[in-house]
Amino acid sequence: MGKLLIVGSMAFDAIETPFGKTGKILGGAATFIGLAADQFNVESAIVSVVGDDFPQTYLDIFTDRNIDISGVEIVKGGKTFYWKGKYHNDLNSRDTLVTELNTLGDFNPIVPESFKDADVVMLGNLHPNIQMGVINQMEERPKLIILDTMNFWMDNTWTELINVINHIDVITINDEEARQLTNEYSLVKAAAKIQKMGPKYVVIKKGEHGALLFHDEHIFFAPALPLEEVFDPTGAGDTFAGGFAGYLAQTKNISFESIKNAIIQGSNLASFCVEKFGTERMVALQKHEIDKRLLQFKELTQFNIELT
Amino acid sequence: MGKLLIVGSMAFDAIETPFGKTGKILGGAATFIGLAADQFNVESAIVSVVGDDFPQTYLDIFTDRNIDISGVEIVKGGKTFYWKGKYHNDLNSRDTLVTELNTLGDFNPIVPESFKDADVVMLGNLHPNIQMGVINQMEERPKLIILDTMNFWMDNTWTELINVINHIDVITINDEEARQLTNEYSLVKAAAKIQKMGPKYVVIKKGEHGALLFHDEHIFFAPALPLEEVFDPTGAGDTFAGGFAGYLAQTKNISFESIKNAIIQGSNLASFCVEKFGTERMVALQKHEIDKRLLQFKELTQFNIELT
């Protein structure tokens, strides 16, 4: 059993999809990452910040799962990060209606002493200086540092982002972000350029079209499971990252073969996340459901090639 | 060795991409299907129509490969179907600049006697009444009838299209066409509806995002091989169909497992087609190149799942 350190937002999300809308519900990158990683045999901790408007029942979700939240700062009189968004009919794009950074705007992450030797560090989407600040607090170089980011940081904190990218092992970004980061349309060329920036592994997320893993000359592809209905895509990317990180923290094996399996595990968990609003499906998820769907992934992709 | 009957256009294409432009070169659905299917151990024939402006050197490409073109009508004084198109920068969309149906407008396909017992019939994208006319000429029900079509026929010949779809085994269409045909956004739901219209197998082509195969409750996914450069997408869909049909005509095995392999073979051949203008790459393609890339497909998708 490995140690996994998770850094990211905890949030209130208000979501509108073609199928319905919610009030303020539990959200945030660290939330989805933590719940996904908890499906593996890992010791994990979350470093985040919330206001004192964040309900105890939400915090209990993590402590009930033995996820260490001693690194979640609760700012007295502060308000929790709030995001409100509305998805378009195809669920592939969305408009952000409200972003209130609140306490997240002054987030100064403190890594708990007992996790300064974590095997795997999962840096959720945050200001690259905050991500770098976490790396600097580690006592020894973790086996694996995974970073998620987005176009906002490319637009606004380019230098800081390039710096932290140079210190990590795996980057997870979507296809458009990979193109923006490299000015290359071809994802093969983009991934090659990103590898030269530091990360040995580049994971390019294509939403409903799956995810690509690039490492040296190797490419691996994991499809998204075709679903009858996608109900709410919120958190799918973080759930993917959490499954990926959780699996690798459990196995402590960072070979290419193992990382391929991690991509499948992440894709598998993400396929559940989108079935209900927010964290609802992930909180209720059972091991036997996960195993059953892993077999579907196998059926979806495996074939016996015959050379003609 | 099975018999494959191919019906579709033979054409002059003029193509403009961000990388260059061509004059009138060899194109057409039957052309690409025939060249792809020729990579397999099959006896194949093309039924098509051209004008007497169609060069003998183009016809020789088929006869050199022992592809029967006795069913290609050469209309005296007629002109060959001509298409001119320009691809946008991302190569995912294109504008049609010129469409001159010419002799294709009066195409009355005649199936050669020796192919009225073909094992597999591949109906390239054409007016559904022409496709149906070919089915009606077969002496006995072929083992497998594959149909390609497009949105144009949904817009203009709905009833005729629904009729021919009810007589075939496999339909290949792209994602947007599957949605248009069924009024369902979810491809899982769309494929289920299409199966109720007749075809036991539904192949949904997603271009650079691969292809999905649906059959009863089973889903199989074949990615497109990530390429450094896509040079010219013209003919990729027909090459996919030709590889699919050619493989199945060779094996004469139409089990789900075999059809999965056919999808991979089609995807593999399509990955070559896009590397050069028109048919250039397919005409030069060698067996050892095909085999090598099949192994890349295997590396791209195969993993050893471990249940946690």
Side-chain angles (χ1 to χ4, degrees):
Chain A
M1 174 156 61
K3 273 189 191 176
L4 170 64
L5 178 68
I6 298 160
V7 188
S9 60
M10 297 176 92
F12 291 125
D13 284 349
I15 301 160
E16 188 172 340
T17 77
F19 309 110
K21 58 197 290 186
T22 71
K24 287 186 177 183
I25 59 173
L26 174 61
T31 298
F32 285 103
I33 294 168
L35 290 174
D38 183 59
Q39 297 296 340
F40 299 92
N41 194 14
V42 293
E43 198 178 333
S44 60
I46 291 177
V47 172
S48 192
V49 63
V50 294
D52 57 11
D53 57 349
F54 199 73
Q56 185 61 42
T57 50
Y58 284 178
L59 294 171
D60 291 345
I61 289 175
F62 301 97
T63 47
D64 286 353
R65 287 167 169 73
N66 289 317
I67 298 172
D68 183 323
I69 55 167
S70 64
V72 178
E73 186 190 359
I74 301 171
V75 178
K76 282 221 174 116
K79 289 178 74 182
T80 301
F81 172 49
Y82 171 48
W83 176 80
K84 181 174 180 175
K86 180 177 173 169
Y87 287 87
H88 301 156
N89 276 339
D90 66 3
L91 293 172
N92 279 327
S93 54
R94 67 187 187 190
D95 295 324
T96 289
L97 303 177
V98 178
T99 306
E100 292 174 6
L101 276 184
N102 298 328
T103 52
L104 193 67
D106 302 310
F107 181 30
N108 183 23
I110 309 291
V111 177
E113 281 303 321
S114 56
F115 276 84
K116 287 187 172 170
D117 62 349
D119 302 285
V120 175
V121 175
M122 175 70 231
L123 301 167
N125 174 41
L126 284 169
H127 191 299
N129 281 354
I130 296 180
Q131 295 175 318
M132 196 64 225
V134 169
I135 295 175
N136 287 336
Q137 290 176 56
M138 302 306 288
E139 260 164 23
E140 49 189 298
R141 177 64 163 78
K143 280 198 179 61
L144 199 71
I145 304 176
I146 306 158
L147 175 134
D148 189 37
T149 189
M150 69 184 295
N151 51 359
F152 180 83
W153 309 114
M154 297 175 199
D155 294 334
N156 295 289
T157 60
W158 177 265
T159 309
E160 297 89 334
L161 179 63
I162 296 301
N163 179 51
V164 70
I165 287 176
N166 190 35
H167 286 81
I168 55 132
D169 303 300
V170 184
I171 186 170
T172 69
I173 46 177
N174 73 31
D175 41 3
E176 284 317 307
E177 291 157 354
R179 287 170 176 142
Q180 184 176 345
L181 189 58
T182 59
N183 211 18
E184 290 285 353
Y185 184 80
S186 157
L187 297 178
V188 176
K189 288 187 178 175
K193 271 200 181 174
I194 296 170
Q195 286 183 68
K196 288 195 182 134
M197 297 177 182
K200 292 185 288 292
Y201 296 93
V202 177
V203 177
I204 297 181
K205 299 174 289 185
K206 303 199 296 172
E208 63 167 329
H209 299 303
L212 284 159
L213 165 67
F214 294 89
H215 172 60
D216 293 340
E217 299 301 304
H218 301 288
I219 312 179
F220 177 69
F221 177 79
L225 199 71
L227 296 170
E228 285 217 10
E229 295 278 20
V230 170
F231 190 79
D232 170 22
T234 310
D238 294 312
T239 299
F240 172 86
F244 181 84
Y247 176 80
L248 292 171
Q250 172 183 282
T251 63
K252 296 203 241 179
N253 173 352
I254 54 170
S255 67
F256 185 63
E257 283 303 312
S258 178
I259 288 180
K260 278 163 57 172
N261 283 341
I263 297 265
I264 295 289
Q265 298 279 3
S267 301
N268 191 36
L269 291 178
S271 78
F272 289 104
C273 178
V274 303
E275 291 183 339
K276 301 226 169 161
F277 271 129
T279 58
E280 191 180 342
R281 188 70 178 91
M282 295 311 293
V283 166
L285 190 57
Q286 301 292 315
K287 190 77 93 188
H288 69 90
E289 297 175 301
I290 298 171
D291 286 352
K292 187 174 167 197
R293 199 167 284 186
L294 278 174
L295 293 177
Q296 285 182 266
F297 263 91
K298 196 147 197 172
E299 183 177 305
L300 182 64
T301 55
Q302 307 298 287
F303 58 89
N304 292 308
I305 205 79
E306 299 157 50
L307 297 185
T308 56
Chain B
M1 174 156 61
K3 273 190 190 174
L4 170 64
L5 178 68
I6 298 160
V7 187
S9 60
M10 297 178 92
F12 291 125
D13 285 348
I15 302 161
E16 187 171 341
T17 77
F19 309 110
K21 58 198 290 185
T22 71
K24 287 186 177 184
I25 59 173
L26 175 60
T31 298
F32 285 103
I33 293 167
L35 289 174
D38 183 59
Q39 297 298 339
F40 300 90
N41 194 15
V42 293
E43 199 179 331
S44 60
I46 292 177
V47 172
S48 191
V49 64
V50 295
D52 57 11
D53 57 349
F54 199 73
Q56 184 61 41
T57 51
Y58 285 179
L59 294 171
D60 290 346
I61 289 175
F62 301 96
T63 47
D64 286 353
R65 287 166 169 74
N66 289 317
I67 298 171
D68 184 323
I69 54 168
S70 65
V72 177
E73 185 190 0
I74 301 171
V75 178
K76 282 221 173 115
K79 291 178 72 182
T80 300
F81 172 49
Y82 172 47
W83 176 81
K84 182 174 182 178
K86 180 177 175 172
Y87 287 88
H88 301 156
N89 276 338
D90 65 4
L91 293 173
N92 279 327
S93 53
R94 67 187 187 190
D95 294 324
T96 289
L97 304 177
V98 178
T99 306
E100 292 175 6
L101 277 184
N102 298 329
T103 52
L104 193 66
D106 301 310
F107 180 31
N108 182 24
I110 309 291
V111 177
E113 282 302 322
S114 56
F115 276 84
K116 287 188 172 171
D117 62 349
D119 301 284
V120 175
V121 174
M122 175 70 231
L123 302 167
N125 174 41
L126 284 170
H127 191 299
N129 281 352
I130 297 180
Q131 295 175 317
M132 196 63 225
V134 169
I135 296 176
N136 287 335
Q137 290 177 55
M138 301 306 287
E139 258 164 24
E140 49 189 299
R141 177 63 165 78
K143 279 198 179 60
L144 198 71
I145 304 176
I146 306 159
L147 175 135
D148 189 36
T149 188
M150 68 183 297
N151 51 0
F152 180 82
W153 309 114
M154 297 175 201
D155 294 335
N156 296 289
T157 60
W158 178 265
T159 308
E160 297 89 334
L161 180 62
I162 295 300
N163 178 51
V164 70
I165 286 176
N166 189 36
H167 286 80
I168 55 132
D169 303 300
V170 184
I171 185 170
T172 69
I173 45 177
N174 74 30
D175 40 4
E176 284 317 307
E177 291 157 354
R179 287 170 176 140
Q180 184 177 345
L181 190 57
T182 59
N183 210 17
E184 290 285 352
Y185 184 80
S186 156
L187 297 179
V188 176
K189 288 187 179 177
K193 271 199 182 176
I194 296 170
Q195 286 183 69
K196 287 193 182 137
M197 296 177 183
K200 291 185 289 291
Y201 297 92
V202 177
V203 177
I204 297 181
K205 300 174 286 184
K206 303 198 298 171
E208 63 167 328
H209 300 302
L212 284 159
L213 165 66
F214 295 87
H215 172 58
D216 293 340
E217 299 301 304
H218 302 288
I219 312 179
F220 178 68
F221 177 80
L225 200 70
L227 296 170
E228 286 217 10
E229 295 278 20
V230 171
F231 189 78
D232 170 21
T234 310
D238 294 313
T239 299
F240 171 86
F244 180 84
Y247 176 80
L248 291 172
Q250 173 182 283
T251 63
K252 296 203 239 180
N253 172 351
I254 54 171
S255 66
F256 185 64
E257 282 304 311
S258 178
I259 288 180
K260 278 163 58 173
N261 284 341
I263 296 266
I264 295 289
Q265 298 278 5
S267 301
N268 190 36
L269 291 177
S271 78
F272 289 103
C273 178
V274 302
E275 291 182 340
K276 303 228 168 157
F277 271 129
T279 59
E280 191 180 343
R281 188 69 178 91
M282 295 311 292
V283 166
L285 190 58
Q286 301 292 314
K287 190 76 94 188
H288 69 91
E289 298 174 302
I290 297 171
D291 286 351
K292 188 175 167 197
R293 199 166 282 185
L294 278 174
L295 293 176
Q296 285 181 265
F297 263 91
K298 195 147 196 171
E299 182 177 304
L300 182 64
T301 55
Q302 307 299 285
F303 59 90
N304 292 308
I305 206 81
E306 299 158 49
L307 298 186
T308 55

